């Protein structure tokens, strides 16, 4: 089955700097890659996703890239702000309804003031 | 505002007891999912549910677990005889408009003593 590896496990960046989180996946059949942000005591919140027919997607300060050949995908947050501090999870799934999402192990992002 | 609501927010039970966790969709959806997250770990898929039937289940979802939608609205996860290792956050999720996105509820914290 699918396996998603995520690194780093913790990341501390200065406010205003960029943060990058990287993931790899194992199943070439996966074609949907969501990213979730989880704040303390809350459920995972979908912040951006990318499908295998595109290589990059951007939404304001957040961008994701996908390299299907290498089975790599990454999350980039620019101009980080204190409210970006949270645990971020990458995930992979096959494009269909009722498909399970396989999560990475998470990255705890801390923004230093 | 959460995409789905979950009750209770926190459940404490003794080992061997039955628990029922509930998920109430805000609007009418057909696909539902249950995931769990043991403290500090990744989010793990349990089961997907469509049209009153299980679509897929993981190895975690053994005979102690069951799901149903008894009144056509609430979506429940039942654990028949809880074990200490069942202590975790349990998240309900529903599908998005494009079919492959999943939006998570705020979760139920289950503590088994």
């Amino acid at each position: 089955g699918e396996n998603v590896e995520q690194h780093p496990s913790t990341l501390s960046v200065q406010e205003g700097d960029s943060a990058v989180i990287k993931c790899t996946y194992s199943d070439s059949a996966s074609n949907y890659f969501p990213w979730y942000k989880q704040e303390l005591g809350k459920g995972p919140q979908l912040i951006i996703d990318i499908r295998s027919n595109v290589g990059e997607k951007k939404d304001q300060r957040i961008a994701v890239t996908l390299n299907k050949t290498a089975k790599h995908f990454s999350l980039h947050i620019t101009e980080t702000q204190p409210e970006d501090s949270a645990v971020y999870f990458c995930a992979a799934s096959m494009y269909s309804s009722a498909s399970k999402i396989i999560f990475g192990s998470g990255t705890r992002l801390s923004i230093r003031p | 505002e959460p995409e789905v609501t979950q009750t209770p927010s926190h459940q404490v039970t003794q080992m061997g007891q039955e628990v029922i966790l509930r998920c109430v969709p805000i609007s009418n959806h057909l696909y539902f999912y249950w995931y769990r997250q043991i403290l500090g770990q990744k989010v793990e898929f349990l089961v997907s549910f469509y049209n009153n039937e299980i679509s897929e289940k993981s190895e975690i979802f053994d005979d102690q677990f069951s799901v149903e939608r008894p009144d056509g609205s609430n979506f429940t996860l039942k654990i028949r005889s809880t074990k200490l290792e069942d202590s975790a956050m349990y998240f309900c999720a529903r599908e998005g408009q494009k079919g492959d996105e999943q939006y998570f509820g705020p979760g139920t914290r289950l503590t088994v003593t």
Side-chain angles (χ1 to χ4, degrees), chain A residues 32 36 38 43-44 46 49 51 89 95-101 103-104, chain B residues 31 33 35 37 42-43 45 48 56 91 98-102 104-105:
Chain A
Y32 173 66
Y36 287 87
Q38 187 177 32
L46 179 65
D49 55 19
R51 294 176 176 83
F89 291 95
Y95 180 85
S96 69
S97 295
S99 283
K100 62 187 175 189
I101 287 180
F103 283 79
Chain B
Y31 295 93
Y33 311 82
Y35 291 80
Q37 186 181 31
K42 69 170 74 174
V43 179
F45 169 77
S48 58
E56 186 177 4
F91 296 105
K98 294 178 183 175
D100 49 7
E101 319 112 302
Q102 292 182 23
F104 285 70

PDB file of all heavy atoms in Angstrom, chain A residues 32 36 38 43-44 46 49 51 89 95-101 103-104, chain B residues 31 33 35 37 42-43 45 48 56 91 98-102 104-105:
ATOM      1  N   TYR A  32      -3.606  12.428  -6.027  1.00  0.00           N
ATOM      2  CA  TYR A  32      -4.184  13.573  -5.328  1.00  0.00           C
ATOM      3  C   TYR A  32      -3.386  13.777  -4.060  1.00  0.00           C
ATOM      4  O   TYR A  32      -3.183  12.830  -3.291  1.00  0.00           O
ATOM      5  CB  TYR A  32      -5.659  13.315  -5.015  1.00  0.00           C
ATOM      6  CG  TYR A  32      -6.282  14.384  -4.137  1.00  0.00           C
ATOM      7  CD1 TYR A  32      -6.432  15.690  -4.604  1.00  0.00           C
ATOM      8  CD2 TYR A  32      -6.723  14.086  -2.856  1.00  0.00           C
ATOM      9  CE1 TYR A  32      -6.993  16.671  -3.800  1.00  0.00           C
ATOM     10  CE2 TYR A  32      -7.287  15.054  -2.048  1.00  0.00           C
ATOM     11  CZ  TYR A  32      -7.415  16.349  -2.530  1.00  0.00           C
ATOM     12  OH  TYR A  32      -7.974  17.325  -1.745  1.00  0.00           O
ATOM     13  N   TYR A  36      -2.582  19.441   4.963  1.00  0.00           N
ATOM     14  CA  TYR A  36      -3.441  19.817   6.068  1.00  0.00           C
ATOM     15  C   TYR A  36      -2.636  20.555   7.131  1.00  0.00           C
ATOM     16  O   TYR A  36      -1.474  20.241   7.380  1.00  0.00           O
ATOM     17  CB  TYR A  36      -4.082  18.589   6.712  1.00  0.00           C
ATOM     18  CG  TYR A  36      -5.170  17.955   5.869  1.00  0.00           C
ATOM     19  CD1 TYR A  36      -4.865  16.997   4.904  1.00  0.00           C
ATOM     20  CD2 TYR A  36      -6.507  18.310   6.051  1.00  0.00           C
ATOM     21  CE1 TYR A  36      -5.865  16.416   4.138  1.00  0.00           C
ATOM     22  CE2 TYR A  36      -7.513  17.726   5.288  1.00  0.00           C
ATOM     23  CZ  TYR A  36      -7.172  16.791   4.331  1.00  0.00           C
ATOM     24  OH  TYR A  36      -8.164  16.219   3.565  1.00  0.00           O
ATOM     25  N   GLN A  38      -2.840  21.483  11.179  1.00  0.00           N
ATOM     26  CA  GLN A  38      -3.536  21.110  12.401  1.00  0.00           C
ATOM     27  C   GLN A  38      -3.047  21.970  13.554  1.00  0.00           C
ATOM     28  O   GLN A  38      -1.878  21.904  13.940  1.00  0.00           O
ATOM     29  CB  GLN A  38      -3.350  19.627  12.723  1.00  0.00           C
ATOM     30  CG  GLN A  38      -4.201  19.159  13.896  1.00  0.00           C
ATOM     31  CD  GLN A  38      -4.085  17.676  14.168  1.00  0.00           C
ATOM     32  OE1 GLN A  38      -3.041  17.071  13.942  1.00  0.00           O
ATOM     33  NE2 GLN A  38      -5.164  17.069  14.661  1.00  0.00           N
ATOM     34  N   GLY A  43      -9.126  19.652  14.486  1.00  0.00           N
ATOM     35  CA  GLY A  43      -9.018  18.697  13.408  1.00  0.00           C
ATOM     36  C   GLY A  43      -8.144  19.224  12.281  1.00  0.00           C
ATOM     37  O   GLY A  43      -7.905  20.437  12.184  1.00  0.00           O
ATOM     38  N   PRO A  44      -7.637  18.346  11.435  1.00  0.00           N
ATOM     39  CA  PRO A  44      -6.831  18.789  10.291  1.00  0.00           C
ATOM     40  C   PRO A  44      -7.660  19.670   9.361  1.00  0.00           C
ATOM     41  O   PRO A  44      -8.809  19.347   9.048  1.00  0.00           O
ATOM     42  CB  PRO A  44      -6.450  17.474   9.607  1.00  0.00           C
ATOM     43  CG  PRO A  44      -6.609  16.421  10.644  1.00  0.00           C
ATOM     44  CD  PRO A  44      -7.742  16.880  11.508  1.00  0.00           C
ATOM     45  N   LEU A  46      -7.801  21.394   5.649  1.00  0.00           N
ATOM     46  CA  LEU A  46      -7.256  21.363   4.291  1.00  0.00           C
ATOM     47  C   LEU A  46      -6.857  22.779   3.878  1.00  0.00           C
ATOM     48  O   LEU A  46      -7.689  23.689   3.883  1.00  0.00           O
ATOM     49  CB  LEU A  46      -8.300  20.815   3.325  1.00  0.00           C
ATOM     50  CG  LEU A  46      -7.912  20.738   1.849  1.00  0.00           C
ATOM     51  CD1 LEU A  46      -6.772  19.738   1.654  1.00  0.00           C
ATOM     52  CD2 LEU A  46      -9.114  20.324   1.002  1.00  0.00           C
ATOM     53  N   ASP A  49      -4.227  21.748  -2.096  1.00  0.00           N
ATOM     54  CA  ASP A  49      -4.034  20.411  -2.640  1.00  0.00           C
ATOM     55  C   ASP A  49      -3.557  20.529  -4.088  1.00  0.00           C
ATOM     56  O   ASP A  49      -3.637  21.594  -4.705  1.00  0.00           O
ATOM     57  CB  ASP A  49      -5.316  19.573  -2.547  1.00  0.00           C
ATOM     58  CG  ASP A  49      -6.530  20.237  -3.205  1.00  0.00           C
ATOM     59  OD1 ASP A  49      -6.355  21.152  -4.042  1.00  0.00           O
ATOM     60  OD2 ASP A  49      -7.669  19.848  -2.878  1.00  0.00           O
ATOM     61  N   ARG A  51      -3.246  18.083  -7.815  1.00  0.00           N
ATOM     62  CA  ARG A  51      -3.551  16.850  -8.524  1.00  0.00           C
ATOM     63  C   ARG A  51      -2.460  16.567  -9.541  1.00  0.00           C
ATOM     64  O   ARG A  51      -1.728  17.468  -9.964  1.00  0.00           O
ATOM     65  CB  ARG A  51      -4.938  16.942  -9.155  1.00  0.00           C
ATOM     66  CG  ARG A  51      -6.022  17.008  -8.094  1.00  0.00           C
ATOM     67  CD  ARG A  51      -7.426  17.204  -8.647  1.00  0.00           C
ATOM     68  NE  ARG A  51      -8.407  17.159  -7.570  1.00  0.00           N
ATOM     69  CZ  ARG A  51      -8.717  18.200  -6.794  1.00  0.00           C
ATOM     70  NH1 ARG A  51      -8.142  19.355  -6.993  1.00  0.00           N
ATOM     71  NH2 ARG A  51      -9.622  18.065  -5.824  1.00  0.00           N
ATOM     72  N   PHE A  89       0.609  18.391   7.747  1.00  0.00           N
ATOM     73  CA  PHE A  89       0.644  17.019   7.249  1.00  0.00           C
ATOM     74  C   PHE A  89       0.510  17.018   5.728  1.00  0.00           C
ATOM     75  O   PHE A  89      -0.398  17.661   5.179  1.00  0.00           O
ATOM     76  CB  PHE A  89      -0.507  16.191   7.824  1.00  0.00           C
ATOM     77  CG  PHE A  89      -0.410  15.903   9.298  1.00  0.00           C
ATOM     78  CD1 PHE A  89      -1.052  16.708  10.218  1.00  0.00           C
ATOM     79  CD2 PHE A  89       0.320  14.814   9.743  1.00  0.00           C
ATOM     80  CE1 PHE A  89      -0.975  16.440  11.585  1.00  0.00           C
ATOM     81  CE2 PHE A  89       0.405  14.541  11.110  1.00  0.00           C
ATOM     82  CZ  PHE A  89      -0.236  15.356  12.021  1.00  0.00           C
ATOM     83  N   TYR A  95      -7.321   9.424  -6.899  1.00  0.00           N
ATOM     84  CA  TYR A  95      -8.411  10.322  -7.263  1.00  0.00           C
ATOM     85  C   TYR A  95      -9.701   9.543  -7.453  1.00  0.00           C
ATOM     86  O   TYR A  95      -9.946   8.963  -8.498  1.00  0.00           O
ATOM     87  CB  TYR A  95      -8.061  11.066  -8.553  1.00  0.00           C
ATOM     88  CG  TYR A  95      -9.136  12.021  -9.025  1.00  0.00           C
ATOM     89  CD1 TYR A  95      -9.197  13.309  -8.532  1.00  0.00           C
ATOM     90  CD2 TYR A  95     -10.082  11.624  -9.959  1.00  0.00           C
ATOM     91  CE1 TYR A  95     -10.178  14.188  -8.953  1.00  0.00           C
ATOM     92  CE2 TYR A  95     -11.059  12.492 -10.383  1.00  0.00           C
ATOM     93  CZ  TYR A  95     -11.104  13.777  -9.884  1.00  0.00           C
ATOM     94  OH  TYR A  95     -12.075  14.639 -10.303  1.00  0.00           O
ATOM     95  N   SER A  96     -10.503   9.502  -6.425  1.00  0.00           N
ATOM     96  CA  SER A  96     -11.849   8.946  -6.541  1.00  0.00           C
ATOM     97  C   SER A  96     -12.568   9.201  -5.233  1.00  0.00           C
ATOM     98  O   SER A  96     -11.931   9.443  -4.209  1.00  0.00           O
ATOM     99  CB  SER A  96     -11.822   7.445  -6.831  1.00  0.00           C
ATOM    100  OG  SER A  96     -11.355   6.732  -5.716  1.00  0.00           O
ATOM    101  N   SER A  97     -13.847   9.154  -5.287  1.00  0.00           N
ATOM    102  CA  SER A  97     -14.606   9.301  -4.058  1.00  0.00           C
ATOM    103  C   SER A  97     -14.428   8.056  -3.205  1.00  0.00           C
ATOM    104  O   SER A  97     -14.168   6.977  -3.705  1.00  0.00           O
ATOM    105  CB  SER A  97     -16.085   9.489  -4.379  1.00  0.00           C
ATOM    106  OG  SER A  97     -16.284  10.689  -5.076  1.00  0.00           O
ATOM    107  N   ALA A  98     -14.521   8.239  -1.940  1.00  0.00           N
ATOM    108  CA  ALA A  98     -14.387   7.157  -0.960  1.00  0.00           C
ATOM    109  C   ALA A  98     -12.983   6.586  -0.922  1.00  0.00           C
ATOM    110  O   ALA A  98     -12.775   5.487  -0.420  1.00  0.00           O
ATOM    111  CB  ALA A  98     -15.405   6.048  -1.196  1.00  0.00           C
ATOM    112  N   SER A  99     -11.997   7.334  -1.466  1.00  0.00           N
ATOM    113  CA  SER A  99     -10.618   6.862  -1.356  1.00  0.00           C
ATOM    114  C   SER A  99     -10.008   7.324  -0.051  1.00  0.00           C
ATOM    115  O   SER A  99     -10.140   8.479   0.326  1.00  0.00           O
ATOM    116  CB  SER A  99      -9.775   7.393  -2.516  1.00  0.00           C
ATOM    117  OG  SER A  99     -10.030   6.673  -3.682  1.00  0.00           O
ATOM    118  N   LYS A 100      -9.306   6.433   0.602  1.00  0.00           N
ATOM    119  CA  LYS A 100      -8.639   6.802   1.846  1.00  0.00           C
ATOM    120  C   LYS A 100      -7.497   7.754   1.551  1.00  0.00           C
ATOM    121  O   LYS A 100      -6.888   7.719   0.481  1.00  0.00           O
ATOM    122  CB  LYS A 100      -8.109   5.562   2.552  1.00  0.00           C
ATOM    123  CG  LYS A 100      -7.064   4.815   1.755  1.00  0.00           C
ATOM    124  CD  LYS A 100      -6.706   3.516   2.427  1.00  0.00           C
ATOM    125  CE  LYS A 100      -5.748   2.727   1.549  1.00  0.00           C
ATOM    126  NZ  LYS A 100      -5.532   1.352   2.051  1.00  0.00           N
ATOM    127  N   ILE A 101      -7.223   8.604   2.543  1.00  0.00           N
ATOM    128  CA  ILE A 101      -6.084   9.509   2.468  1.00  0.00           C
ATOM    129  C   ILE A 101      -5.008   8.948   3.379  1.00  0.00           C
ATOM    130  O   ILE A 101      -5.273   8.621   4.535  1.00  0.00           O
ATOM    131  CB  ILE A 101      -6.494  10.930   2.881  1.00  0.00           C
ATOM    132  CG1 ILE A 101      -7.337  11.574   1.771  1.00  0.00           C
ATOM    133  CG2 ILE A 101      -5.280  11.782   3.175  1.00  0.00           C
ATOM    134  CD1 ILE A 101      -7.791  12.971   2.079  1.00  0.00           C
ATOM    135  N   PHE A 103      -1.642   9.723   5.321  1.00  0.00           N
ATOM    136  CA  PHE A 103      -0.954  10.897   5.842  1.00  0.00           C
ATOM    137  C   PHE A 103       0.528  10.637   6.078  1.00  0.00           C
ATOM    138  O   PHE A 103       0.943   9.514   6.391  1.00  0.00           O
ATOM    139  CB  PHE A 103      -1.582  11.325   7.175  1.00  0.00           C
ATOM    140  CG  PHE A 103      -2.888  12.051   7.028  1.00  0.00           C
ATOM    141  CD1 PHE A 103      -4.066  11.354   6.786  1.00  0.00           C
ATOM    142  CD2 PHE A 103      -2.949  13.431   7.150  1.00  0.00           C
ATOM    143  CE1 PHE A 103      -5.275  12.025   6.656  1.00  0.00           C
ATOM    144  CE2 PHE A 103      -4.148  14.107   7.028  1.00  0.00           C
ATOM    145  CZ  PHE A 103      -5.311  13.400   6.775  1.00  0.00           C
ATOM    146  N   GLY A 104       1.310  11.703   5.951  1.00  0.00           N
ATOM    147  CA  GLY A 104       2.673  11.693   6.431  1.00  0.00           C
ATOM    148  C   GLY A 104       2.688  11.864   7.941  1.00  0.00           C
ATOM    149  O   GLY A 104       1.639  12.031   8.578  1.00  0.00           O
TER     150      GLY A 104
ATOM    151  N   TYR B  31     -20.516  10.589   1.183  1.00  0.00           N
ATOM    152  CA  TYR B  31     -19.306   9.875   1.557  1.00  0.00           C
ATOM    153  C   TYR B  31     -18.831  10.374   2.918  1.00  0.00           C
ATOM    154  O   TYR B  31     -18.730  11.569   3.139  1.00  0.00           O
ATOM    155  CB  TYR B  31     -18.189  10.113   0.539  1.00  0.00           C
ATOM    156  CG  TYR B  31     -18.472   9.553  -0.823  1.00  0.00           C
ATOM    157  CD1 TYR B  31     -19.061  10.337  -1.799  1.00  0.00           C
ATOM    158  CD2 TYR B  31     -18.144   8.240  -1.137  1.00  0.00           C
ATOM    159  CE1 TYR B  31     -19.334   9.832  -3.060  1.00  0.00           C
ATOM    160  CE2 TYR B  31     -18.408   7.731  -2.391  1.00  0.00           C
ATOM    161  CZ  TYR B  31     -18.998   8.530  -3.348  1.00  0.00           C
ATOM    162  OH  TYR B  31     -19.272   8.035  -4.589  1.00  0.00           O
ATOM    163  N   TYR B  33     -15.999   9.394   6.317  1.00  0.00           N
ATOM    164  CA  TYR B  33     -14.777   8.690   6.677  1.00  0.00           C
ATOM    165  C   TYR B  33     -14.555   8.834   8.177  1.00  0.00           C
ATOM    166  O   TYR B  33     -14.922   9.839   8.776  1.00  0.00           O
ATOM    167  CB  TYR B  33     -13.569   9.296   5.949  1.00  0.00           C
ATOM    168  CG  TYR B  33     -13.765   9.477   4.459  1.00  0.00           C
ATOM    169  CD1 TYR B  33     -14.434  10.585   3.977  1.00  0.00           C
ATOM    170  CD2 TYR B  33     -13.302   8.528   3.560  1.00  0.00           C
ATOM    171  CE1 TYR B  33     -14.634  10.758   2.613  1.00  0.00           C
ATOM    172  CE2 TYR B  33     -13.486   8.689   2.197  1.00  0.00           C
ATOM    173  CZ  TYR B  33     -14.152   9.807   1.730  1.00  0.00           C
ATOM    174  OH  TYR B  33     -14.345   9.976   0.385  1.00  0.00           O
ATOM    175  N   TYR B  35     -11.220   8.588  10.825  1.00  0.00           N
ATOM    176  CA  TYR B  35      -9.783   8.494  11.015  1.00  0.00           C
ATOM    177  C   TYR B  35      -9.507   8.584  12.509  1.00  0.00           C
ATOM    178  O   TYR B  35     -10.326   9.094  13.272  1.00  0.00           O
ATOM    179  CB  TYR B  35      -9.064   9.658  10.319  1.00  0.00           C
ATOM    180  CG  TYR B  35      -9.093   9.625   8.813  1.00  0.00           C
ATOM    181  CD1 TYR B  35     -10.217  10.056   8.112  1.00  0.00           C
ATOM    182  CD2 TYR B  35      -7.990   9.185   8.085  1.00  0.00           C
ATOM    183  CE1 TYR B  35     -10.243  10.037   6.723  1.00  0.00           C
ATOM    184  CE2 TYR B  35      -7.999   9.169   6.691  1.00  0.00           C
ATOM    185  CZ  TYR B  35      -9.126   9.599   6.023  1.00  0.00           C
ATOM    186  OH  TYR B  35      -9.144   9.585   4.647  1.00  0.00           O
ATOM    187  N   GLN B  37      -6.218   9.505  15.432  1.00  0.00           N
ATOM    188  CA  GLN B  37      -4.872  10.051  15.640  1.00  0.00           C
ATOM    189  C   GLN B  37      -4.475   9.812  17.082  1.00  0.00           C
ATOM    190  O   GLN B  37      -5.009  10.456  17.994  1.00  0.00           O
ATOM    191  CB  GLN B  37      -4.836  11.544  15.301  1.00  0.00           C
ATOM    192  CG  GLN B  37      -3.441  12.153  15.364  1.00  0.00           C
ATOM    193  CD  GLN B  37      -3.456  13.632  15.040  1.00  0.00           C
ATOM    194  OE1 GLN B  37      -4.427  14.338  15.303  1.00  0.00           O
ATOM    195  NE2 GLN B  37      -2.377  14.119  14.435  1.00  0.00           N
ATOM    196  N   LYS B  42       0.643  10.343  13.494  1.00  0.00           N
ATOM    197  CA  LYS B  42      -0.012  10.720  12.255  1.00  0.00           C
ATOM    198  C   LYS B  42      -1.487  10.334  12.280  1.00  0.00           C
ATOM    199  O   LYS B  42      -1.936   9.532  13.089  1.00  0.00           O
ATOM    200  CB  LYS B  42       0.667  10.066  11.062  1.00  0.00           C
ATOM    201  CG  LYS B  42       0.496   8.572  10.981  1.00  0.00           C
ATOM    202  CD  LYS B  42       0.977   8.014   9.640  1.00  0.00           C
ATOM    203  CE  LYS B  42       2.462   7.997   9.526  1.00  0.00           C
ATOM    204  NZ  LYS B  42       2.926   7.314   8.282  1.00  0.00           N
ATOM    205  N   VAL B  43      -2.229  10.915  11.385  1.00  0.00           N
ATOM    206  CA  VAL B  43      -3.639  10.588  11.229  1.00  0.00           C
ATOM    207  C   VAL B  43      -3.744   9.291  10.416  1.00  0.00           C
ATOM    208  O   VAL B  43      -3.103   9.145   9.367  1.00  0.00           O
ATOM    209  CB  VAL B  43      -4.369  11.730  10.496  1.00  0.00           C
ATOM    210  CG1 VAL B  43      -5.838  11.393  10.311  1.00  0.00           C
ATOM    211  CG2 VAL B  43      -4.218  13.039  11.268  1.00  0.00           C
ATOM    212  N   PHE B  45      -6.224   6.257   8.626  1.00  0.00           N
ATOM    213  CA  PHE B  45      -7.531   5.927   8.055  1.00  0.00           C
ATOM    214  C   PHE B  45      -8.126   4.716   8.776  1.00  0.00           C
ATOM    215  O   PHE B  45      -7.433   3.732   9.032  1.00  0.00           O
ATOM    216  CB  PHE B  45      -7.364   5.623   6.568  1.00  0.00           C
ATOM    217  CG  PHE B  45      -8.566   5.022   5.914  1.00  0.00           C
ATOM    218  CD1 PHE B  45      -9.652   5.813   5.574  1.00  0.00           C
ATOM    219  CD2 PHE B  45      -8.606   3.672   5.616  1.00  0.00           C
ATOM    220  CE1 PHE B  45     -10.763   5.262   4.950  1.00  0.00           C
ATOM    221  CE2 PHE B  45      -9.711   3.110   4.995  1.00  0.00           C
ATOM    222  CZ  PHE B  45     -10.785   3.906   4.661  1.00  0.00           C
ATOM    223  N   SER B  48     -14.169   4.013   5.261  1.00  0.00           N
ATOM    224  CA  SER B  48     -14.954   4.916   4.431  1.00  0.00           C
ATOM    225  C   SER B  48     -16.342   4.313   4.240  1.00  0.00           C
ATOM    226  O   SER B  48     -16.502   3.080   4.236  1.00  0.00           O
ATOM    227  CB  SER B  48     -14.281   5.172   3.081  1.00  0.00           C
ATOM    228  OG  SER B  48     -14.076   3.959   2.384  1.00  0.00           O
ATOM    229  N   GLU B  56     -14.411   0.891   2.204  1.00  0.00           N
ATOM    230  CA  GLU B  56     -13.069   0.383   2.465  1.00  0.00           C
ATOM    231  C   GLU B  56     -12.791   0.486   3.954  1.00  0.00           C
ATOM    232  O   GLU B  56     -13.288   1.397   4.620  1.00  0.00           O
ATOM    233  CB  GLU B  56     -12.032   1.191   1.671  1.00  0.00           C
ATOM    234  CG  GLU B  56     -10.625   0.661   1.748  1.00  0.00           C
ATOM    235  CD  GLU B  56      -9.650   1.445   0.885  1.00  0.00           C
ATOM    236  OE1 GLU B  56     -10.045   2.456   0.272  1.00  0.00           O
ATOM    237  OE2 GLU B  56      -8.469   1.042   0.820  1.00  0.00           O
ATOM    238  N   PHE B  91     -11.548  11.378  14.213  1.00  0.00           N
ATOM    239  CA  PHE B  91     -12.043  12.419  13.321  1.00  0.00           C
ATOM    240  C   PHE B  91     -12.988  11.827  12.288  1.00  0.00           C
ATOM    241  O   PHE B  91     -12.695  10.804  11.666  1.00  0.00           O
ATOM    242  CB  PHE B  91     -10.899  13.105  12.580  1.00  0.00           C
ATOM    243  CG  PHE B  91      -9.949  13.853  13.467  1.00  0.00           C
ATOM    244  CD1 PHE B  91      -8.691  13.348  13.746  1.00  0.00           C
ATOM    245  CD2 PHE B  91     -10.315  15.070  14.017  1.00  0.00           C
ATOM    246  CE1 PHE B  91      -7.803  14.040  14.559  1.00  0.00           C
ATOM    247  CE2 PHE B  91      -9.443  15.776  14.832  1.00  0.00           C
ATOM    248  CZ  PHE B  91      -8.186  15.255  15.108  1.00  0.00           C
ATOM    249  N   LYS B  98     -15.358  18.222  -5.308  1.00  0.00           N
ATOM    250  CA  LYS B  98     -14.665  17.552  -6.401  1.00  0.00           C
ATOM    251  C   LYS B  98     -14.537  16.058  -6.149  1.00  0.00           C
ATOM    252  O   LYS B  98     -14.034  15.326  -7.001  1.00  0.00           O
ATOM    253  CB  LYS B  98     -13.285  18.178  -6.600  1.00  0.00           C
ATOM    254  CG  LYS B  98     -13.343  19.621  -7.077  1.00  0.00           C
ATOM    255  CD  LYS B  98     -11.958  20.215  -7.212  1.00  0.00           C
ATOM    256  CE  LYS B  98     -12.051  21.682  -7.629  1.00  0.00           C
ATOM    257  NZ  LYS B  98     -10.716  22.325  -7.662  1.00  0.00           N
ATOM    258  N   GLY B  99     -14.956  15.609  -4.997  1.00  0.00           N
ATOM    259  CA  GLY B  99     -15.009  14.188  -4.717  1.00  0.00           C
ATOM    260  C   GLY B  99     -13.804  13.623  -4.015  1.00  0.00           C
ATOM    261  O   GLY B  99     -13.916  12.669  -3.250  1.00  0.00           O
ATOM    262  N   ASP B 100     -12.610  14.164  -4.270  1.00  0.00           N
ATOM    263  CA  ASP B 100     -11.420  13.594  -3.650  1.00  0.00           C
ATOM    264  C   ASP B 100     -10.960  14.360  -2.407  1.00  0.00           C
ATOM    265  O   ASP B 100     -10.214  13.822  -1.614  1.00  0.00           O
ATOM    266  CB  ASP B 100     -10.274  13.478  -4.648  1.00  0.00           C
ATOM    267  CG  ASP B 100     -10.038  14.768  -5.423  1.00  0.00           C
ATOM    268  OD1 ASP B 100     -10.671  15.795  -5.104  1.00  0.00           O
ATOM    269  OD2 ASP B 100      -9.227  14.728  -6.349  1.00  0.00           O
ATOM    270  N   GLU B 101     -11.426  15.616  -2.233  1.00  0.00           N
ATOM    271  CA  GLU B 101     -11.033  16.321  -1.014  1.00  0.00           C
ATOM    272  C   GLU B 101     -11.799  15.749   0.164  1.00  0.00           C
ATOM    273  O   GLU B 101     -12.910  15.230   0.010  1.00  0.00           O
ATOM    274  CB  GLU B 101     -11.334  17.826  -1.085  1.00  0.00           C
ATOM    275  CG  GLU B 101     -11.038  18.473  -2.397  1.00  0.00           C
ATOM    276  CD  GLU B 101     -12.306  18.901  -3.074  1.00  0.00           C
ATOM    277  OE1 GLU B 101     -13.187  18.041  -3.313  1.00  0.00           O
ATOM    278  OE2 GLU B 101     -12.442  20.101  -3.373  1.00  0.00           O
ATOM    279  N   GLN B 102     -11.187  15.856   1.333  1.00  0.00           N
ATOM    280  CA  GLN B 102     -11.874  15.454   2.552  1.00  0.00           C
ATOM    281  C   GLN B 102     -11.721  16.559   3.585  1.00  0.00           C
ATOM    282  O   GLN B 102     -10.624  17.074   3.797  1.00  0.00           O
ATOM    283  CB  GLN B 102     -11.300  14.131   3.070  1.00  0.00           C
ATOM    284  CG  GLN B 102     -11.628  12.959   2.160  1.00  0.00           C
ATOM    285  CD  GLN B 102     -11.115  11.640   2.666  1.00  0.00           C
ATOM    286  OE1 GLN B 102     -10.870  11.464   3.850  1.00  0.00           O
ATOM    287  NE2 GLN B 102     -10.953  10.683   1.760  1.00  0.00           N
ATOM    288  N   PHE B 104     -12.350  17.641   7.523  1.00  0.00           N
ATOM    289  CA  PHE B 104     -12.402  16.968   8.815  1.00  0.00           C
ATOM    290  C   PHE B 104     -13.208  17.759   9.839  1.00  0.00           C
ATOM    291  O   PHE B 104     -13.210  18.997   9.834  1.00  0.00           O
ATOM    292  CB  PHE B 104     -10.986  16.764   9.351  1.00  0.00           C
ATOM    293  CG  PHE B 104     -10.234  15.664   8.655  1.00  0.00           C
ATOM    294  CD1 PHE B 104      -9.820  15.808   7.342  1.00  0.00           C
ATOM    295  CD2 PHE B 104      -9.960  14.473   9.313  1.00  0.00           C
ATOM    296  CE1 PHE B 104      -9.142  14.782   6.691  1.00  0.00           C
ATOM    297  CE2 PHE B 104      -9.280  13.449   8.668  1.00  0.00           C
ATOM    298  CZ  PHE B 104      -8.867  13.602   7.363  1.00  0.00           C
ATOM    299  N   GLY B 105     -13.841  17.014  10.732  1.00  0.00           N
ATOM    300  CA  GLY B 105     -14.491  17.618  11.880  1.00  0.00           C
ATOM    301  C   GLY B 105     -13.492  17.932  12.974  1.00  0.00           C
ATOM    302  O   GLY B 105     -12.305  17.632  12.846  1.00  0.00           O
TER     303      GLY B 105
END
